[in-house]
Amino acid sequence: NDFSNQTENLLMGKNPKTIVTHGSPIAQKYGLGAQWREFNLDLITGDPNSPSKNVTEADGWDYYPVGPPYLATARDMHQIAIKWSEFAPKVLDEYPNLLAEMYAFCIAAAHLELPHQLATSLMVSYLPNGSDDSGEGWKLVDGVDDSELCLSTPTPPSSLRSVPLPSVLHFCQVMKLGKWAFGKRRVPHDVFSCDAPLAKEPPSDLATRYDYTIDGDGKHQKLPSVYAVKRSAFMVCTLTRALNEAALFYQEHNCAKPKNGKTVMLEP
């Protein structure tokens, strides 16, 4: 867990901590802000003297707006997990919305006085229109040649095995390029079953074949930049192949006749 190579790991702050040690976890920065400071921390933590109440607005933004992947020593993560599971239902009662469990993690870390070193290279999710990386690991993806974007998983070629790439692909929105798409609500519910077909995989030259999307009615919509094309290709290809790899693993370990050879196009 050494993040000292700044060509591979993008850490925030003037003097970032580059080693995961007891008391010094590292995690991906998410757009959570410090909203949790306004919650009823006495009720959530059960402690009127909780250290979470002493976190300033600035520190709330600088050390706690984190999400997967989380990296910490086993001792620290075990402590966080205990408080996280304890606080999450109470946060949900007060804030019955998406992100409640993530705010609960922030509060647990603050309560335990475990400020996180924020990283911006461990995850990709939101697709910005231009070259901006939105605080995510897109610059690592941008460094991959277009011809190899769809070769990154599950078994990358030798030319990519030493290339740093984000560890987490957060597919909270539909990714599209050409007639190809990946969206979590488009995945068939029976994907992990013996008779389910695999997802049809995009061509290896997806990033150079299209610079637009094609909707269900055949209408073309040009993507706003070469960055959007490249990043969309990476997400669609990598997520589709990762899904197939998981489905094949299930079939090989649970089905009498795995690999039925059928494929289905995921809906745009």
Side-chain angles (χ1 to χ4, degrees), residues 119-187:
T120 60
S121 55
L122 302 179
M123 180 275 295
V124 288
S125 172
Y126 172 72
L127 286 170
N129 290 334
S131 60
D132 179 57
D133 61 11
S134 296
E136 300 176 3
W138 289 118
K139 293 191 183 302
L140 300 180
V141 176
D142 295 342
V144 179
D145 188 83
D146 286 352
S147 65
E148 296 187 320
L149 278 171
C150 287
L151 303 177
S152 59
T153 58
T155 305
S158 57
S159 59
L160 279 183
R161 289 174 191 165
S162 61
V163 174
L165 288 171
S167 302
V168 170
L169 277 63
H170 183 208
F171 47 97
C172 62
Q173 56 188 314
V174 178
M175 309 293 178
K176 298 180 182 180
L177 186 59
K179 61 182 180 179
W180 304 89
F182 190 97
K184 61 184 179 183
R185 293 183 176 86
R186 270 75 168 177
V187 176

Coordinates of all heavy atoms in Angstrom, one line a residue, residues 119-187:
A119 N -7.5 10.4 -2.4 CA -6.9 10.1 -3.7 C -7.9 10.3 -4.8 O -9.1 10.2 -4.6 CB -6.5 8.6 -3.7
T120 N -7.4 10.7 -6.0 CA -8.3 10.9 -7.1 C -8.1 10.0 -8.3 O -8.6 10.3 -9.4 CB -8.2 12.4 -7.6 OG1 -6.9 12.7 -8.0 CG2 -8.6 13.4 -6.5
S121 N -7.3 9.0 -8.1 CA -7.0 8.1 -9.2 C -7.5 6.7 -9.0 O -7.2 5.8 -9.9 CB -5.4 8.0 -9.4 OG -4.8 7.7 -8.1
L122 N -8.2 6.4 -8.0 CA -8.6 5.0 -7.7 C -9.9 4.6 -8.3 O -10.3 3.4 -8.3 CB -8.7 4.8 -6.2 CG -7.4 5.1 -5.4 CD1 -7.6 4.9 -3.9 CD2 -6.2 4.2 -5.9
M123 N -10.7 5.5 -8.8 CA -12.1 5.2 -9.3 C -12.4 6.2 -10.4 O -12.0 7.3 -10.5 CB -13.1 5.4 -8.1 CG -14.5 5.2 -8.4 SD -15.4 6.6 -9.1 CE -15.4 7.8 -7.8
V124 N -13.3 5.6 -11.3 CA -13.9 6.5 -12.4 C -15.4 6.2 -12.4 O -15.9 5.1 -12.1 CB -13.3 6.2 -13.8 CG1 -11.9 6.7 -13.9 CG2 -13.3 4.7 -14.1
S125 N -16.1 7.3 -12.7 CA -17.6 7.2 -12.6 C -18.2 8.2 -13.6 O -18.8 7.8 -14.6 CB -18.1 7.4 -11.2 OG -19.5 7.5 -11.1
Y126 N -18.2 9.5 -13.2 CA -18.8 10.5 -14.0 C -18.0 10.9 -15.3 O -16.8 11.0 -15.2 CB -18.9 11.8 -13.1 CG -19.4 13.0 -13.8 CD1 -20.7 13.1 -14.3 CD2 -18.5 14.0 -14.1 CE1 -21.2 14.2 -14.9 CE2 -19.0 15.2 -14.8 CZ -20.3 15.3 -15.2 OH -20.7 16.4 -15.9
L127 N -18.7 11.0 -16.4 CA -18.0 11.3 -17.6 C -18.1 12.8 -17.9 O -19.1 13.3 -18.4 CB -18.7 10.6 -18.8 CG -18.4 9.1 -18.9 CD1 -19.3 8.4 -19.9 CD2 -16.9 8.8 -19.2
P128 N -17.1 13.6 -17.6 CA -17.1 15.0 -18.0 C -17.0 15.2 -19.5 O -16.5 14.4 -20.2 CB -15.9 15.6 -17.2 CG -15.0 14.4 -17.1 CD -15.8 13.2 -16.9
N129 N -17.4 16.4 -19.9 CA -17.4 16.6 -21.4 C -16.0 16.8 -22.0 O -15.8 16.5 -23.1 CB -18.3 17.8 -21.7 CG -19.8 17.5 -21.5 OD1 -20.2 16.4 -21.6 ND2 -20.5 18.6 -21.2
G130 N -15.2 17.5 -21.2 CA -13.8 17.8 -21.8 C -12.7 17.0 -21.2 O -12.9 15.9 -20.8
S131 N -11.6 17.7 -21.0 CA -10.4 16.9 -20.5 C -10.4 16.9 -19.0 O -9.5 16.2 -18.4 CB -9.1 17.6 -21.0 OG -9.1 19.0 -20.6
D132 N -11.3 17.6 -18.3 CA -11.3 17.6 -16.9 C -11.5 16.2 -16.4 O -12.3 15.4 -17.0 CB -12.4 18.5 -16.4 CG -12.5 18.5 -14.9 OD1 -11.5 18.8 -14.2 OD2 -13.6 18.2 -14.4
D133 N -10.9 15.9 -15.3 CA -11.1 14.5 -14.7 C -12.1 14.4 -13.6 O -12.3 13.3 -13.1 CB -9.7 13.9 -14.3 CG -9.1 14.8 -13.1 OD1 -9.8 15.6 -12.6 OD2 -7.9 14.5 -12.8
S134 N -12.7 15.5 -13.2 CA -13.7 15.6 -12.2 C -13.3 14.9 -10.9 O -14.1 14.3 -10.1 CB -15.0 14.9 -12.7 OG -15.5 15.6 -13.7
G135 N -12.0 15.0 -10.6 CA -11.5 14.4 -9.3 C -11.5 12.9 -9.4 O -11.5 12.2 -8.3
E136 N -11.4 12.3 -10.5 CA -11.4 10.8 -10.7 C -10.2 10.4 -11.5 O -9.4 11.2 -12.0 CB -12.7 10.4 -11.3 CG -14.0 10.7 -10.5 CD -15.3 10.4 -11.2 OE1 -15.2 9.8 -12.3 OE2 -16.3 10.7 -10.6
G137 N -10.1 9.1 -11.7 CA -8.9 8.6 -12.4 C -8.9 8.6 -13.9 O -8.2 7.7 -14.5
W138 N -9.5 9.5 -14.5 CA -9.6 9.5 -16.0 C -8.3 9.7 -16.7 O -8.1 9.3 -17.8 CB -10.7 10.5 -16.4 CG -12.1 10.2 -16.1 CD1 -13.0 10.8 -15.3 CD2 -12.8 9.0 -16.6 NE1 -14.2 10.2 -15.3 CE2 -14.1 9.1 -16.0 CE3 -12.5 8.0 -17.4 CZ2 -15.1 8.1 -16.3 CZ3 -13.4 7.0 -17.7 CH2 -14.7 7.1 -17.1
K139 N -7.4 10.5 -16.1 CA -6.1 10.8 -16.7 C -5.3 9.5 -17.0 O -4.6 9.4 -17.9 CB -5.3 11.8 -15.9 CG -6.0 13.2 -15.9 CD -5.1 14.2 -15.4 CE -5.8 15.6 -15.3 NZ -6.3 16.1 -16.6
L140 N -5.5 8.5 -16.1 CA -4.9 7.2 -16.3 C -5.5 6.5 -17.6 O -4.7 5.9 -18.4 CB -5.0 6.3 -15.1 CG -4.5 6.8 -13.8 CD1 -4.7 5.8 -12.7 CD2 -3.0 7.1 -13.9
V141 N -6.8 6.6 -17.7 CA -7.4 6.1 -18.9 C -7.0 6.8 -20.2 O -6.8 6.2 -21.2 CB -9.0 6.1 -18.7 CG1 -9.7 5.6 -20.0 CG2 -9.4 5.3 -17.5
D142 N -6.9 8.1 -20.1 CA -6.5 8.9 -21.2 C -5.1 8.5 -21.7 O -4.8 8.8 -22.9 CB -6.5 10.4 -20.8 CG -7.9 10.9 -20.5 OD1 -8.9 10.3 -20.8 OD2 -8.0 12.0 -19.8
G143 N -4.3 8.0 -20.9 CA -2.9 7.6 -21.3 C -2.8 6.3 -22.1 O -1.8 6.0 -22.6
V144 N -4.0 5.6 -22.2 CA -4.0 4.3 -22.9 C -4.2 4.6 -24.4 O -5.1 5.4 -24.7 CB -5.0 3.4 -22.3 CG1 -5.0 2.0 -23.1 CG2 -4.8 3.1 -20.9
D145 N -3.5 3.9 -25.3 CA -3.7 4.1 -26.7 C -5.1 3.7 -27.1 O -5.6 2.7 -26.6 CB -2.7 3.3 -27.5 CG -2.7 3.6 -29.0 OD1 -2.1 4.6 -29.4 OD2 -3.4 2.8 -29.7
D146 N -5.8 4.4 -28.0 CA -7.1 4.1 -28.4 C -7.3 2.6 -28.9 O -8.3 2.0 -28.6 CB -7.6 5.0 -29.5 CG -7.9 6.4 -29.1 OD1 -7.9 6.6 -27.8 OD2 -8.1 7.3 -29.9
S147 N -6.3 2.1 -29.5 CA -6.3 0.7 -30.1 C -6.3 -0.3 -29.0 O -6.6 -1.5 -29.2 CB -5.2 0.5 -31.0 OG -3.9 0.5 -30.3
E148 N -6.0 0.1 -27.7 CA -5.8 -0.9 -26.6 C -6.9 -0.7 -25.5 O -6.9 -1.4 -24.6 CB -4.4 -0.8 -26.0 CG -3.3 -1.3 -27.0 CD -2.0 -1.4 -26.4 OE1 -1.7 -0.5 -25.5 OE2 -1.2 -2.3 -26.7
L149 N -7.7 0.3 -25.7 CA -8.7 0.6 -24.6 C -9.6 -0.6 -24.4 O -10.0 -0.8 -23.2 CB -9.6 1.8 -25.0 CG -9.0 3.2 -24.8 CD1 -9.8 4.2 -25.4 CD2 -8.8 3.4 -23.3
C150 N -10.0 -1.3 -25.4 CA -10.9 -2.5 -25.2 C -10.1 -3.8 -25.0 O -10.7 -4.9 -25.2 CB -11.8 -2.5 -26.4 SG -13.1 -1.2 -26.4
L151 N -8.9 -3.7 -24.7 CA -8.1 -4.9 -24.5 C -7.6 -5.0 -23.0 O -6.8 -5.9 -22.7 CB -6.8 -4.9 -25.4 CG -7.1 -4.8 -26.9 CD1 -5.7 -4.8 -27.6 CD2 -7.9 -6.0 -27.4
S152 N -8.2 -4.1 -22.2 CA -7.7 -4.0 -20.8 C -8.1 -5.1 -19.9 O -7.5 -5.4 -18.9 CB -8.1 -2.6 -20.2 OG -9.5 -2.5 -20.2
T153 N -9.2 -5.8 -20.2 CA -9.7 -6.8 -19.3 C -10.4 -7.9 -20.2 O -10.8 -7.6 -21.3 CB -10.7 -6.3 -18.3 OG1 -11.8 -5.7 -19.0 CG2 -10.1 -5.3 -17.3
P154 N -10.5 -9.1 -19.7 CA -10.0 -9.6 -18.4 C -8.6 -10.0 -18.4 O -7.9 -10.0 -17.4 CB -10.9 -10.8 -18.1 CG -11.3 -11.3 -19.4 CD -11.4 -10.1 -20.3
T155 N -8.0 -10.3 -19.6 CA -6.6 -10.6 -19.7 C -5.9 -9.6 -20.6 O -6.0 -9.7 -21.8 CB -6.4 -12.0 -20.3 OG1 -7.2 -13.0 -19.5 CG2 -4.9 -12.4 -20.3
P156 N -5.3 -8.6 -20.0 CA -4.7 -7.5 -20.9 C -3.5 -8.0 -21.6 O -2.8 -8.9 -21.1 CB -4.4 -6.4 -19.8 CG -4.2 -7.2 -18.6 CD -5.2 -8.3 -18.6
P157 N -3.2 -7.4 -22.8 CA -2.0 -7.7 -23.5 C -0.8 -7.3 -22.6 O -0.9 -6.4 -21.7 CB -2.1 -6.9 -24.8 CG -3.0 -5.8 -24.4 CD -4.0 -6.3 -23.4
S158 N 0.4 -7.8 -23.0 CA 1.6 -7.5 -22.2 C 1.9 -6.0 -22.2 O 2.4 -5.5 -21.2 CB 2.8 -8.2 -22.8 OG 2.9 -7.8 -24.2
S159 N 1.5 -5.2 -23.2 CA 1.7 -3.8 -23.3 C 1.0 -3.0 -22.2 O 1.3 -1.9 -21.9 CB 1.4 -3.2 -24.7 OG 0.1 -3.5 -25.0
L160 N -0.1 -3.6 -21.7 CA -1.0 -2.9 -20.7 C -0.7 -3.4 -19.3 O -1.3 -2.8 -18.4 CB -2.4 -3.1 -21.1 CG -3.0 -2.2 -22.2 CD1 -4.5 -2.5 -22.3 CD2 -2.8 -0.7 -21.8
R161 N 0.0 -4.5 -19.1 CA 0.1 -5.1 -17.8 C 0.8 -4.2 -16.8 O 0.6 -4.3 -15.6 CB 0.7 -6.5 -17.9 CG -0.2 -7.5 -18.6 CD 0.5 -8.8 -18.8 NE -0.3 -9.7 -19.6 CZ 0.1 -10.8 -20.3 NH1 1.4 -11.2 -20.1 NH2 -0.7 -11.5 -21.0
S162 N 1.6 -3.3 -17.3 CA 2.3 -2.4 -16.4 C 1.7 -1.0 -16.4 O 2.3 -0.1 -15.7 CB 3.8 -2.3 -16.8 OG 3.9 -1.8 -18.1
V163 N 0.6 -0.8 -17.0 CA 0.0 0.5 -17.1 C -1.0 0.6 -15.9 O -1.9 -0.2 -15.7 CB -0.8 0.6 -18.4 CG1 -1.6 1.9 -18.4 CG2 0.1 0.6 -19.6
P164 N -0.8 1.7 -15.1 CA -1.8 1.9 -14.0 C -3.1 2.3 -14.5 O -3.3 3.1 -15.4 CB -1.1 3.0 -13.2 CG -0.3 3.8 -14.2 CD 0.2 2.7 -15.2
L165 N -4.2 1.7 -14.0 CA -5.5 2.0 -14.3 C -6.4 2.1 -13.0 O -6.0 1.5 -12.0 CB -6.2 0.9 -15.2 CG -5.6 0.9 -16.7 CD1 -6.1 -0.4 -17.4 CD2 -6.0 2.1 -17.4
P166 N -7.5 2.8 -13.0 CA -8.3 2.9 -11.8 C -8.7 1.5 -11.3 O -9.0 0.6 -12.1 CB -9.5 3.7 -12.3 CG -9.0 4.5 -13.5 CD -8.0 3.6 -14.2
S167 N -8.8 1.4 -10.0 CA -9.2 0.1 -9.4 C -10.7 -0.2 -9.4 O -11.1 -1.3 -9.4 CB -8.7 0.0 -8.0 OG -7.3 0.2 -7.9
V168 N -11.5 0.9 -9.4 CA -12.9 0.7 -9.3 C -13.6 1.5 -10.5 O -13.3 2.6 -10.7 CB -13.4 1.3 -8.0 CG1 -15.0 1.4 -8.0 CG2 -12.9 0.4 -6.8
L169 N -14.5 0.8 -11.1 CA -15.4 1.4 -12.2 C -16.8 1.5 -11.6 O -17.5 0.5 -11.4 CB -15.4 0.6 -13.4 CG -14.3 0.8 -14.4 CD1 -12.9 0.4 -13.8 CD2 -14.5 0.0 -15.7
H170 N -17.2 2.7 -11.3 CA -18.5 3.0 -10.6 C -19.5 3.2 -11.7 O -19.6 4.3 -12.2 CB -18.3 4.2 -9.7 CG -19.5 4.5 -8.9 ND1 -19.8 5.8 -8.5 CD2 -20.5 3.7 -8.4 CE1 -20.9 5.8 -7.8 NE2 -21.4 4.5 -7.7
F171 N -20.3 2.2 -12.0 CA -21.3 2.3 -13.1 C -22.6 2.8 -12.6 O -23.6 2.1 -12.6 CB -21.4 1.0 -13.9 CG -21.5 -0.2 -13.1 CD1 -22.7 -0.8 -12.8 CD2 -20.4 -0.9 -12.6 CE1 -22.9 -2.0 -12.1 CE2 -20.5 -2.1 -11.8 CZ -21.8 -2.6 -11.6
C172 N -22.7 4.0 -12.2 CA -23.9 4.6 -11.6 C -24.8 5.3 -12.8 O -25.9 5.8 -12.5 CB -23.7 5.6 -10.5 SG -22.7 7.0 -11.1
Q173 N -24.2 5.3 -14.0 CA -25.0 5.9 -15.1 C -24.8 5.0 -16.3 O -23.9 4.1 -16.3 CB -24.5 7.3 -15.4 CG -23.0 7.4 -15.6 CD -22.5 8.8 -15.7 OE1 -23.1 9.7 -16.3 NE2 -21.4 9.1 -15.0
V174 N -25.6 5.2 -17.4 CA -25.5 4.4 -18.6 C -24.3 5.0 -19.4 O -24.2 6.2 -19.6 CB -26.8 4.5 -19.4 CG1 -26.6 3.7 -20.7 CG2 -27.9 4.0 -18.6
M175 N -23.4 4.1 -19.8 CA -22.3 4.4 -20.7 C -22.6 4.0 -22.1 O -23.0 2.8 -22.3 CB -21.0 3.7 -20.2 CG -20.7 3.9 -18.7 SD -20.3 5.6 -18.3 CE -20.1 5.5 -16.5
K176 N -22.4 4.8 -23.1 CA -22.8 4.5 -24.5 C -21.6 4.9 -25.4 O -21.0 6.0 -25.2 CB -24.0 5.3 -24.9 CG -25.3 4.9 -24.1 CD -26.5 5.7 -24.6 CE -27.7 5.5 -23.8 NZ -28.9 6.3 -24.3
L177 N -21.5 4.2 -26.5 CA -20.7 4.6 -27.6 C -21.1 3.8 -28.8 O -21.2 2.5 -28.8 CB -19.2 4.4 -27.4 CG -18.2 4.9 -28.4 CD1 -18.4 6.4 -28.7 CD2 -16.8 4.6 -28.1
G178 N -21.5 4.4 -29.9 CA -22.0 3.8 -31.1 C -23.3 3.1 -30.7 O -24.2 3.7 -30.0
K179 N -23.5 1.8 -31.1 CA -24.7 1.1 -30.7 C -24.5 0.3 -29.4 O -25.4 -0.5 -29.0 CB -25.1 0.1 -31.8 CG -24.1 -0.9 -32.2 CD -24.5 -1.8 -33.3 CE -23.4 -2.8 -33.7 NZ -23.9 -3.7 -34.8
W180 N -23.4 0.5 -28.8 CA -23.0 -0.3 -27.6 C -23.3 0.5 -26.4 O -23.1 1.7 -26.3 CB -21.5 -0.7 -27.7 CG -21.2 -1.5 -28.9 CD1 -20.8 -1.0 -30.1 CD2 -21.3 -2.9 -29.1 NE1 -20.7 -2.0 -31.0 CE2 -21.0 -3.2 -30.4 CE3 -21.7 -3.9 -28.3 CZ2 -21.0 -4.4 -31.0 CZ3 -21.7 -5.2 -28.8 CH2 -21.3 -5.5 -30.1
A181 N -23.7 -0.2 -25.3 CA -24.0 0.5 -24.1 C -23.8 -0.5 -22.9 O -23.9 -1.7 -23.1 CB -25.4 1.0 -24.1
F182 N -23.6 0.1 -21.7 CA -23.7 -0.7 -20.5 C -24.4 0.2 -19.4 O -24.0 1.3 -19.1 CB -22.3 -1.0 -20.0 CG -22.3 -2.0 -18.8 CD1 -22.1 -3.4 -19.1 CD2 -22.5 -1.6 -17.5 CE1 -22.2 -4.3 -18.0 CE2 -22.6 -2.5 -16.5 CZ -22.4 -3.8 -16.7
G183 N -25.4 -0.4 -18.8 CA -26.1 0.3 -17.8 C -26.6 -0.8 -16.8 O -27.0 -1.9 -17.1
K184 N -26.5 -0.5 -15.5 CA -26.7 -1.5 -14.5 C -28.2 -2.0 -14.5 O -28.5 -3.1 -14.2 CB -26.4 -1.0 -13.1 CG -27.2 0.3 -12.6 CD -26.7 0.7 -11.3 CE -27.4 2.0 -10.8 NZ -26.9 2.5 -9.5
R185 N -29.1 -1.1 -15.0 CA -30.5 -1.5 -15.1 C -30.8 -2.3 -16.4 O -31.9 -2.7 -16.6 CB -31.4 -0.3 -14.9 CG -31.4 0.2 -13.5 CD -32.3 1.4 -13.3 NE -32.3 1.9 -11.9 CZ -31.5 2.8 -11.4 NH1 -30.6 3.3 -12.2 NH2 -31.6 3.1 -10.2
R186 N -29.8 -2.3 -17.3 CA -30.0 -3.1 -18.6 C -29.5 -4.5 -18.4 O -29.7 -5.3 -19.3 CB -29.2 -2.4 -19.7 CG -29.9 -1.3 -20.5 CD -30.1 0.0 -19.7 NE -30.6 1.0 -20.6 CZ -30.9 2.2 -20.2 NH1 -30.8 2.6 -18.9 NH2 -31.3 3.2 -21.1
V187 N -28.8 -4.8 -17.4 CA -28.3 -6.2 -17.2 C -29.4 -7.1 -16.9 O -30.2 -6.9 -15.9 CB -27.2 -6.2 -16.1 CG1 -26.7 -7.6 -15.9 CG2 -26.0 -5.3 -16.5

